[in-house]
Amino acid sequence: MRRGMTGILCSVMILLAALGVSAAARVGERAPAFSNVGTDGKTYSLDALKGKWVVLEWYNPGCPYTQKHYGSGNIPRLQKEWTAKGVVWLTVSTSAPAEKATAYAKAANAAATAILLDLQATTAMAYAAKTSPHMFVIDPNGVLVYNGAIDDIPSPDPADLAKAKNYVSAALTEGMAGRPITTPTSRPYGCTVKYPSVGSAE
Amino acid sequence: MIRRTRTNRLLAARGLSVVAFCGAAFFVGVPAASAQMRIARADQGSVELIVTRDAAGRGGHIEAGLRFRLQPGWHVYWRNPGDSGGPPTVKWSVPEGVNVGEFSWPTPERIPVGPLVNYGYHGDVVLPFTIRMPAGLRGRSQVITADVRWLVCKDICVPVKSRVALTLPLDAAAQAETPAWTRLIATARQRVPTEAPPNWRATATDAGDAFLLTVTPDQPASGMVNFFPLHESQVEDAAKQVVQRTGARLTLRLEKSAQLAAIPRELTGVLTIGKGRGHIVAAPVQARSLDKKGSSQ
């Protein structure tokens, strides 16, 4: 029985590796490594960001849920607030190419540290990113401390923002104060992240 | 006429993705005159209310359904949508005394989207429910209105808001359709999972990265086995469910969700075996155990 289970486990791991799906992005464990080129032409890798708090935000300017948080100014406001406190905020696009990704962000007065182009979705795979937005917070030691939704009201309606509890701000506030994070995971909501195998409409 | 408005309670109780798309991001144009329309159309498909019979003024139950007819490739979601998406939600407006029941959800399909998996429906799908009519209602026509918010996805997702209404007594055109609607609702009801028979045993074990779900149906059954979790963020939806069979006993290895917050007391979901009807199983979760004497075969 034990040996059977080991065999099954190995098959599952091989299968997952083949699919490129990783269960690696678990809170409390080392965040998966990544290295992507930003729309500014610079390369951003997690290794080089050691010592800093890092936020990853999956982003798709064609998605009504991304539009909720940009059109309302919610994400740009968070980006300004947290980058001012030394946080590295990386917006990740798997579908929108550089020009489109930057044009939309600029029009919304976005203030991320950089917009990363992950058009092969390798970083999305490593993190098992599901939705735009899907948020991850990584501490200065490279440990994942938050994996989930941006807030607790899963709707595309900007009117809900006023009464929503923002999980990313809560995680950063608690984490930077050295306190345990009250809500380290939640179900991300939004449009399904675009992976290249399923086409790239929008 | 006094109207009463309420949200479908089952959906309201569901937690996270309940209010999945209260937004006005996309609004299917509803001209004022169509406030009484039974069917609403969007580019991705239509939504309508259907009933088995007309019981206005007579009291009793009417079997009804919320029917989606989707364009090829588009899907709507099950009560647990899986890795992304959200189920349809309805806000009802009904005459005083009329009661609209909760939806029964037919067993969904597993819908792979790249490396993710959603649970939902393609094509023509009916969510059955029951309308309870008070005996005293008669005379003037009664209108049951549904404000439906539905997220419909293909390679992109579109949140749609539709208003559909049913006017009782039914007009002649609707009366003529009730035999066909009755068949649709009955077919949908047959696809709704039933509680597992009491002599089935279901338990789950916390095995580190995964849950091991063991179900022993009353007799061995062949065919593909699938488990659809009723609750989000417990099981990694896209992970392959590895099934081991020992006589009638089935053991499924269900990878834990990366969003799992705490070990649940129970794993609850719909188990399907082959083409048979789905059964709802509720398996108490036992603490992690490395040595189970006597369980080796």
Side-chain angles (χ1 to χ4, degrees), chain B residues 92-105:
Chain B
W92 297 99
S93 303
V94 300
E96 181 75 18
V98 172
N99 181 280
V100 178
E102 295 167 355
F103 290 134
S104 297
W105 298 83

Side-chain angles (χ1 to χ4, degrees), chain B residues 5 12-13 32 91 121 124-125 132-133 148 158 224 288:
Chain B
T5 297
K91 201 171 93 175
Y121 312 99
D124 192 336
V125 60
R132 288 178 177 78
M133 303 291 290
V148 187
V158 181
M224 175 96 168
R288 189 169 182 173

Side-chain angles (χ1 to χ4, degrees), chain A residues 26 130, chain B residues 83 209 211 232-237 254-261:
Chain A
R26 290 186 187 270
K130 294 175 178 176
Chain B
D83 277 326
D209 288 346
F211 296 106
E232 297 158 353
S233 303
Q234 293 186 345
V235 166
E236 197 62 41
D237 300 299
L254 305 170
E255 190 186 316
K256 285 180 185 169
S257 167
Q259 280 83 32
L260 179 69

Side-chain angles (χ1 to χ4, degrees), chain A residues 22-32 125-129 134 136 144 146-147 185, chain B residues 258-259:
Chain A
S22 166
R26 290 186 187 270
V27 165
E29 296 178 4
R30 183 155 294 281
M125 293 273 193
Y127 280 79
H134 185 166
F136 297 86
L144 187 68
Y146 180 73
N147 170 351
T185 63
Chain B
Q259 280 83 32

Side-chain angles (χ1 to χ4, degrees), chain A residues 20-158:
Chain A
V21 177
S22 166
R26 290 186 187 270
V27 165
E29 296 178 4
R30 183 155 294 281
F34 63 82
S35 179
N36 292 95
V37 175
T39 55
D40 57 6
K42 296 180 193 161
T43 298
Y44 293 82
S45 74
L46 185 57
D47 285 349
L49 297 170
K50 205 162 168 51
K52 293 185 182 295
W53 287 87
V54 176
V55 171
L56 298 180
E57 169 219 338
W58 260 266
Y59 163 82
N60 171 4
C63 160
Y65 293 84
T66 293
Q67 290 163 6
K68 166 190 178 183
H69 292 284
Y70 277 77
S72 63
N74 186 48
I75 281 184
R77 195 159 44 240
L78 291 166
Q79 291 169 335
K80 280 192 193 78
E81 177 187 347
W82 291 106
T83 54
K85 292 175 184 170
V87 172
V88 174
W89 186 299
L90 301 173
T91 296
V92 187
S93 169
T94 65
S95 55
E99 196 179 317
K100 187 171 176 182
T102 46
Y104 183 81
K106 192 177 173 196
N109 290 315
T113 308
I115 300 176
L116 306 189
L117 297 170
D118 186 34
L119 303 180
Q120 298 302 313
T122 46
T123 301
M125 293 273 193
Y127 280 79
K130 294 175 178 176
T131 58
S132 52
H134 185 166
M135 309 298 298
F136 297 86
V137 179
I138 302 163
D139 78 7
N141 295 316
V143 174
L144 187 68
V145 299
Y146 180 73
N147 170 351
I150 185 164
D151 62 31
D152 66 346
I153 304 186
S155 87
D157 188 349

Side-chain angles (χ1 to χ4, degrees), chain B residues 158-175:
Chain B
V158 181
V160 184
K161 277 179 149 187
S162 307
R163 170 168 289 182
V164 288
L166 197 63
T167 304
L168 300 173
L170 296 172
D171 62 27
Q175 281 288 3

